């Protein structure tokens, strides 16, 4: 297996990836809160961790990838007060909350399929794990790190911080957080404003509610990932991923819940992708500045100059390192479109190369080093821009070979083809949209020809020989060979 190095947010440095129980790897990634159509901000974590999932499997690990669906408990503005985002949408559209959740889960899945994001091994829903979340809350209460207040249960951050450290992931100082929130003290049922909800008593107007020993209510947003991560990956697993905006409060609270319930953190490596921004501001539903993925695919948004295909979007995202900020612009997307087309052209042109008895020195040197350089880039914290740069170099070599300005042996040609296919398609997860479109056109083309031949068969059955011959002659003029056999009619297109 490769010596993979990844950046651990917990320790703020790159670390050699050493799974707890190799070759098995447990990976949990925070999925969407399903109350609206997926947008570009959803695409980035999905694609980032899809590439990690692909690469870990490629280098020989057996990966259990868990990505959740949040369908309850995520309140507005990531706070402990206000409306549940899904329940609010349900009221606005006069639908059941689960109708909203199902509709937007389907929308998310459709978009991920378009982006060629592999489905996770397990996709648990928060509403399907209420019992596990209640058990987690009970454990934290029994260990003295939570308190009940008016039917709700809150995590006692100050009490936790006496023995442990709250802020270990985000680097925040608890005293600073408490001092900054003192002006709000006493206006809610919390002891401190920094305390977060583990269980919320449902108000009369709250649609989504479950019975518990504390009240009829619903779990806090942070509980689901701790409970479901532990259920499917065990008390200790390798990787927890998500967007950098989840470091605080969500992932910080997850660590506190794990330590308070079982004595230590569940996660060995915390990984976070950076944001996609518009004019320097985070893209998100709460800010109202998002563009849905379907709007990108159709071009139907006032900020878009044109439609951008799913693979253009994927290429745009992987052209930057996952820990760097990416700012949306039409110019950046058009550059990604050109880059993607350049790479696909290069891969298609591999079939046109004429091989020689041996490679020239420069070509042989490049081909012999390409595979290692690509692996080195991936092993350096998934440096996808460097892989793309190397594949572009390969495209330049291919152009030289086609123009007969260089030569390559059959074995080196096979090596070049294999490396480009592995890294472009298997690892970076790109698809050749043109070949897919061609296949679709050929399928539709075949259906039309079959329909015409059925009309000819009907004419023959009615002994309308003139129409039968007319159809056959027209197909022949169009380049089709039509043969009548004892088993029926067959056709092929002359190349």
């Amino acid at each position: 297996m490769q010596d993979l190095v990844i950046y651990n947010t917990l320790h703020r440095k790159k670390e050699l990836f050493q799974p707890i129980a190799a070759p098995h790897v447990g990976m949990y990634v925070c999925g969407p809160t399903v109350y609206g159509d997926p947008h570009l901000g959803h695409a980035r974590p999905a694609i980032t961790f899809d590439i990690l999932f692909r690469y870990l499997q490629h280098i020989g690990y057996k990966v259990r990838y868990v990505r959740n669906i949040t369908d309850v408990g995520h309140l507005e503005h990531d706070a402990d007060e206000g409306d549940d985002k899904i329940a609010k949408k349900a009221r606005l559209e006069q639908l059941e909350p689960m109708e909203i959740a199902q509709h937007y889960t389907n929308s998310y899945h459709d978009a991920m399929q378009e982006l060629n994001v592999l489905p996770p091994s397990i996709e648990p829903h928060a509403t399907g794990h209420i019992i596990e979340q209640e058990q987690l809350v009970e454990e934290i209460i029994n260990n003295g790190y939570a308190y009940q207040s008016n039917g709700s249960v809150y995590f006692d951050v100050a009490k936790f911080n006496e023995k442990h450290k709250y802020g270990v992931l985000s680097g925040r100082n608890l005293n600073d957080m408490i001092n900054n929130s003192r002006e709000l003290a006493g206006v809610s049922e919390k002891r401190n404003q920094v305390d977060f909800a583990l269980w919320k008593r449902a108000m009369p107007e709250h649609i989504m509610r479950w019975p518990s020993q504390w009240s009829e209510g619903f779990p806090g947003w942070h509980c689901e990932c701790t409970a479901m991560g532990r259920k499917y990956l065990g008390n200790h697993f390798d990787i927890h991923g998500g967007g950098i905006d989840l470091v605080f409060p969500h992932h910080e609270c997850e660590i506190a819940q794990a330590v308070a319930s079982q004595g230590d953190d569940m996660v060995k490596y915390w990984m976070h992708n950076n944001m996609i921004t518009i004019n320097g501001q985070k893209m998100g539903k709460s800010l109202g500045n998002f563009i849905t993925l379907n709007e990108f695919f159709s071009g139907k948004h006032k900020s878009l100059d044109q439609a951008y295909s799913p693979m253009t979007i994927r290429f745009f995202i992987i052209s930057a390192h996952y820990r760097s900020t990416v700012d949306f612009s039409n110019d950046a997307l058009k550059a990604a479109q050109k880059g993607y087309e350049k790479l696909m052209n290069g891969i298609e042109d591999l079939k046109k190369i004429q091989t020689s008895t041996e490679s020239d020195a420069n070509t042989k040197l490049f081909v012999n080093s390409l595979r290692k350089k690509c692996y080195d880039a991936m092993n350096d914290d998934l440096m996808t821009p460097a892989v793309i740069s190397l594949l572009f170099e390969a495209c330049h070599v291919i152009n030289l070979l086609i123009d007969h300005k260089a030569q390559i042996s059959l074995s080196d040609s096979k090596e070049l083809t294999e490396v480009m296919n592995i890294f472009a398609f298997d690892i970076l997860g790109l698809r050749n949209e043109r070949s897919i479109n061609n296949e679709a056109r050929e399928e539709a083309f075949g259906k039309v020809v079959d329909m015409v031949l059925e009309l000819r068969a009907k004419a023959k059955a009615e002994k309308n020989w003139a129409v039968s011959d007319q159809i056959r002659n027209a197909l022949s003029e169009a380049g089709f060979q039509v043969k009548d056999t004892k088993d029926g009619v067959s056709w092929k297109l002359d190349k």
Side-chain angles (χ1 to χ4, degrees):
M1 290 178 182
Q2 300 287 323
D3 287 334
L4 170 63
V5 171
I6 55 177
Y7 186 86
N8 191 346
T9 309
L10 185 64
H11 301 139
R12 295 164 184 77
K13 64 179 182 178
K14 293 180 185 179
E15 296 176 352
L16 181 65
F17 180 62
Q18 296 177 307
I20 295 166
H24 299 278
V25 172
M27 180 168 78
Y28 188 102
V29 175
C30 290
T33 300
V34 283
Y35 69 105
D37 285 315
H39 56 72
L40 195 60
H42 291 119
R44 192 166 198 198
I47 290 170
T48 295
F49 292 100
D50 178 61
I51 286 177
L52 179 58
F53 182 36
R54 288 170 178 272
Y55 190 61
L56 288 171
Q57 291 183 108
H58 174 77
I59 60 178
Y61 290 111
K62 300 179 188 302
V63 186
R64 177 177 288 175
Y65 177 16
V66 181
R67 188 186 67 208
N68 69 301
I69 296 288
T70 297
D71 52 4
V72 69
H74 195 169
L75 305 186
E76 290 184 287
H77 313 300
D78 300 345
D80 287 332
E81 306 295 336
D83 283 337
D84 182 292
K85 293 183 178 184
I86 292 163
K88 181 180 180 181
K89 187 81 168 181
R91 278 196 296 273
L92 288 172
E93 299 194 13
Q94 296 184 312
L95 295 170
E96 283 289 327
M98 286 301 99
E99 281 184 276
I100 294 295
Q102 188 64 58
H103 173 79
Y104 290 113
T105 299
N106 293 344
S107 178
Y108 178 77
H109 286 159
D110 291 344
M112 293 305 105
Q113 191 169 14
E114 289 288 324
L115 292 168
N116 205 27
V117 170
L118 298 174
S121 315
I122 303 171
E123 191 174 55
H125 291 233
T127 53
H129 297 79
I130 301 296
I131 292 172
E132 288 85 352
Q133 293 177 76
E134 289 184 13
Q135 289 171 340
L136 173 68
V137 176
E138 190 172 3
E139 289 173 12
I140 295 172
I141 291 173
N142 291 341
N143 289 339
Y145 293 114
Y147 57 91
Q148 299 179 49
S149 177
N150 196 27
S152 294
V153 180
Y154 293 98
F155 191 96
D156 193 334
V157 173
K159 180 71 178 296
F160 176 81
N161 207 55
E162 290 173 6
K163 187 175 180 181
H164 307 286
K165 178 169 172 51
Y166 184 76
V168 65
L169 185 67
S170 63
R172 299 193 181 202
N173 181 280
L174 180 59
N175 289 330
D176 291 342
M177 286 189 277
I178 291 175
N179 290 335
N180 290 336
S181 64
R182 271 186 179 158
E183 60 194 61
L184 300 172
V187 300
S188 78
E189 47 195 31
K190 300 179 183 181
R191 293 176 184 170
N192 274 306
Q193 284 303 305
V194 292
D195 294 347
F196 57 90
L198 299 172
W199 184 266
K200 286 288 288 181
R201 180 174 68 89
M203 296 295 103
E205 68 274 10
H206 202 94
I207 306 172
M208 304 172 79
R209 54 179 68 216
W210 288 265
S212 77
Q213 58 183 294
W214 312 291
S215 64
E216 193 169 84
F218 55 93
W221 171 38
H222 312 301
C223 287
E224 61 177 291
C225 293
T226 304
M228 295 190 296
R230 184 161 66 182
K231 179 179 177 68
Y232 294 109
L233 298 174
N235 287 358
H236 300 96
F237 57 90
D238 300 297
I239 297 168
H240 194 318
I244 199 168
D245 55 324
L246 296 179
V247 170
F248 188 89
H250 188 48
H251 290 166
E252 194 73 74
C253 293
E254 277 194 62
I255 291 175
Q257 289 171 161
V259 174
S261 63
Q262 68 180 39
D264 58 359
D265 188 9
M266 297 188 299
V267 181
K268 186 173 183 181
Y269 302 94
W270 285 90
M271 295 182 69
H272 297 91
N273 63 274
N274 215 319
M275 297 180 293
I276 291 182
T277 57
I278 296 182
N279 299 321
Q281 187 180 38
K282 174 195 167 186
M283 177 183 284
K285 288 194 186 79
S286 60
L287 298 170
N289 65 350
F290 64 95
I291 303 173
T292 71
L293 290 169
N294 280 333
E295 286 171 335
F296 276 105
F297 301 158
S298 67
K300 293 177 180 177
H301 189 280
K302 62 184 180 182
S303 299
L304 300 175
D305 292 348
Q306 63 177 69
Y308 298 98
S309 74
M311 287 303 100
T312 296
I313 298 298
R314 187 173 180 111
F315 194 89
F316 168 67
I317 288 172
I318 65 176
S319 293
H321 188 252
Y322 77 91
R323 287 193 289 115
S324 66
T325 304
V326 177
D327 199 51
F328 156 81
S329 71
N330 279 283
D331 287 344
L333 281 168
K334 287 172 185 173
Q337 184 177 36
K338 287 182 181 177
Y340 166 72
E341 288 173 354
K342 175 182 177 180
L343 181 55
M344 292 303 107
N345 286 336
I347 290 173
E348 287 178 3
D349 286 345
L350 282 164
K351 300 169 188 172
K352 303 175 186 176
I353 291 174
Q354 294 181 6
T355 58
S356 303
T357 53
E358 61 181 9
S359 302
D360 63 77
N362 288 338
T363 302
K364 188 162 193 66
L365 183 65
F366 176 80
V367 173
N368 287 352
S369 64
L370 180 61
R371 186 185 294 257
K372 183 180 183 303
K373 286 179 178 178
C374 286
Y375 278 123
D376 287 347
M378 287 301 297
N379 289 334
D380 184 13
D381 195 31
L382 311 180
M383 194 63 71
T384 55
V387 175
I388 290 171
S389 178
L390 288 163
L391 296 180
F392 280 166
E393 285 185 47
C395 292
H396 175 68
V397 170
I398 291 165
N399 287 335
L400 293 176
L401 292 167
I402 288 174
D403 292 342
H404 305 292
K405 294 177 181 177
Q407 62 183 40
I408 191 169
S409 67
L410 179 61
S411 61
D412 285 344
S413 177
K414 287 180 178 178
E415 168 69 3
L416 180 60
T417 301
E418 183 176 294
V419 172
M420 291 198 74
N421 282 318
I422 285 173
F423 283 91
F425 300 130
D426 297 349
I427 294 173
L428 296 183
L430 296 168
R431 280 190 303 221
N432 190 336
E433 288 173 326
R434 284 175 299 187
S435 68
I436 293 169
N437 292 337
N438 287 340
E439 287 170 12
R441 280 196 292 270
E442 286 175 12
E443 184 180 353
F445 192 64
K447 287 178 180 178
V448 171
V449 175
D450 288 339
M451 182 178 68
V452 172
L453 289 174
E454 283 177 18
L455 293 174
R456 179 172 176 264
K458 183 179 179 182
K460 287 179 69 177
E462 294 171 352
K463 301 190 186 313
N464 191 340
W465 309 116
V467 171
S468 171
D469 290 344
Q470 184 181 7
I471 291 174
R472 180 184 181 125
N473 292 339
L475 286 171
S476 178
E477 288 174 11
F480 292 92
Q481 285 185 18
V482 178
K483 286 187 179 180
D484 293 302
T485 68
K486 62 180 181 179
D487 298 320
V489 64
S490 65
W491 64 271
K492 70 176 182 176
L493 180 62
D494 286 335
K495 300 295 184 184

